[in-house]
Amino acid sequence: MSQDKIERWNEVDGNLDNSEKMQAFLDSTTDAYAILQLRHIDETVYERFESYDSLKRQGKEPDIDHYDVVYMAHLSSYTDQTAMLEGLYTKFNVDQPEDFRGHSLSVSDIVALKTDDVVSFHYVDSIGFRELQGFMKPENYLKNAEMAVEDDYGMLDGIVNNGKAPVTEERSSVLAQLKERSALDAPYKPAKSHPEREME
C-alpha cells in the first residue's frame, strides 16, 4: 500500500473509495500532500466556498466526513511551509496536473500535508491558509486496525486490543423492584388454624 498507491494514482484515479485514498495518504512512506474538497451533499451547501470565519458564524467547524480526497502526490522537501502552500494554491489554479479531477483550489478546500510522519490539515481561507487542529479525530487513525483485532467493538477507543469491555451487572426492571418491595412491605398474616387438625 502506502507509497506505491500514491505513485500509481494515475492508474487508480477514481477507483479507490474515499477512505482508501485517505489511508493511502496516511500510509505514505515519504512526504506527501492531499487535496480535499467538499462533497456535493445537502450538508455542505452552506459550507462550500465559505471562509473559516463565515463557517464559525454558522456555528460549524470543517468536518472530515464532508470531504473527499480528490488528489494526492509526493511532496518535495521545503523550508517555508507558507510558501509551499501558496505554491500548491497556484499550481492547482494555474497549472493543474492532468490527472486532477477536482475544481480549482478554492476557499473551503483543505490541503493535507504529511511531512516526517506528521500529518497536518490546512484550510484554504479567504486570505492564506488556516491550520486545523483536531480535524482528523485520533480514533479515525486506528479504527480499522482496532476493528480487525479487538475482542469487543465496544472497545474502539484508540488502544489496540485492550480486551473485552467489563461485564456490567444487569439491573432488574422497575416493575420487578416494585413487586419485590410490595412483597416485603406486606403485613405478616399468620396462617389460619384449622380446628380439625388441632384435634388429631
Side-chain angles (χ1 to χ4, degrees):
M1 203 166 158
S2 68
Q3 191 58 28
D4 292 339
K5 279 195 175 180
I6 290 178
E7 289 170 358
R8 292 190 341 245
W9 181 261
N10 287 343
E11 298 171 28
V12 299
D13 183 27
N15 294 331
L16 295 177
D17 71 26
N18 192 56
S19 62
E20 289 174 315
K21 291 176 186 176
M22 180 57 79
Q23 199 60 52
F25 165 71
L26 295 173
D27 290 345
S28 173
T29 56
T30 63
D31 292 352
Y33 70 92
I35 305 295
L36 287 71
Q37 295 183 332
L38 284 165
R39 295 178 181 158
H40 292 272
I41 54 176
D42 291 343
E43 291 84 356
T44 64
V45 169
Y46 298 107
E47 298 173 11
R48 299 177 67 73
F49 311 112
E50 294 291 332
S51 70
Y52 185 80
D53 288 339
S54 175
L55 208 58
K56 293 288 278 183
R57 282 193 293 274
Q58 296 179 45
K60 297 179 179 180
E61 288 280 345
D63 184 340
I64 194 166
D65 294 330
H66 292 179
Y67 284 85
D68 281 329
V69 177
V70 296
Y71 191 80
M72 61 183 168
H74 173 74
L75 180 64
S76 301
S77 60
Y78 61 89
T79 53
D80 183 345
Q81 186 180 76
T82 302
M84 184 273 303
L85 286 168
E86 292 295 341
L88 287 175
Y89 183 84
T90 302
K91 176 179 183 171
F92 285 91
N93 276 283
V94 177
D95 188 24
Q96 294 177 352
E98 287 184 23
D99 56 341
F100 178 59
R101 301 291 179 261
H103 58 73
S104 296
L105 198 60
S106 306
V107 173
S108 79
D109 293 344
I110 292 174
V111 178
L113 303 177
K114 183 175 184 184
T115 51
D116 298 325
D117 288 327
V118 175
V119 177
S120 59
F121 296 89
H122 305 268
Y123 191 85
V124 181
D125 214 344
S126 49
I127 298 174
F129 292 81
R130 182 183 295 257
E131 186 169 355
L132 300 174
Q133 301 294 330
F135 176 68
M136 176 168 268
K137 301 156 191 80
E139 63 269 17
N140 286 348
Y141 285 107
L142 293 174
K143 186 173 182 182
N144 290 339
E146 283 191 271
M147 287 177 75
V149 298
E150 282 293 0
D151 297 325
D152 182 350
Y153 280 1
M155 296 303 288
L156 296 180
D157 54 6
I159 303 168
V160 175
N161 205 14
N162 53 342
K164 290 186 182 278
V167 177
T168 56
E169 186 178 313
E170 192 172 313
R171 295 172 47 179
S172 58
S173 71
V174 173
L175 183 60
Q177 290 176 14
L178 288 172
K179 284 181 181 177
E180 185 179 310
R181 182 162 181 102
S182 65
L184 293 174
D185 290 346
Y188 174 74
K189 293 181 184 176
K192 292 183 181 177
S193 60
H194 296 287
E196 305 87 40
R197 291 188 178 225
E198 288 177 5
M199 296 188 75
E200 289 177 353

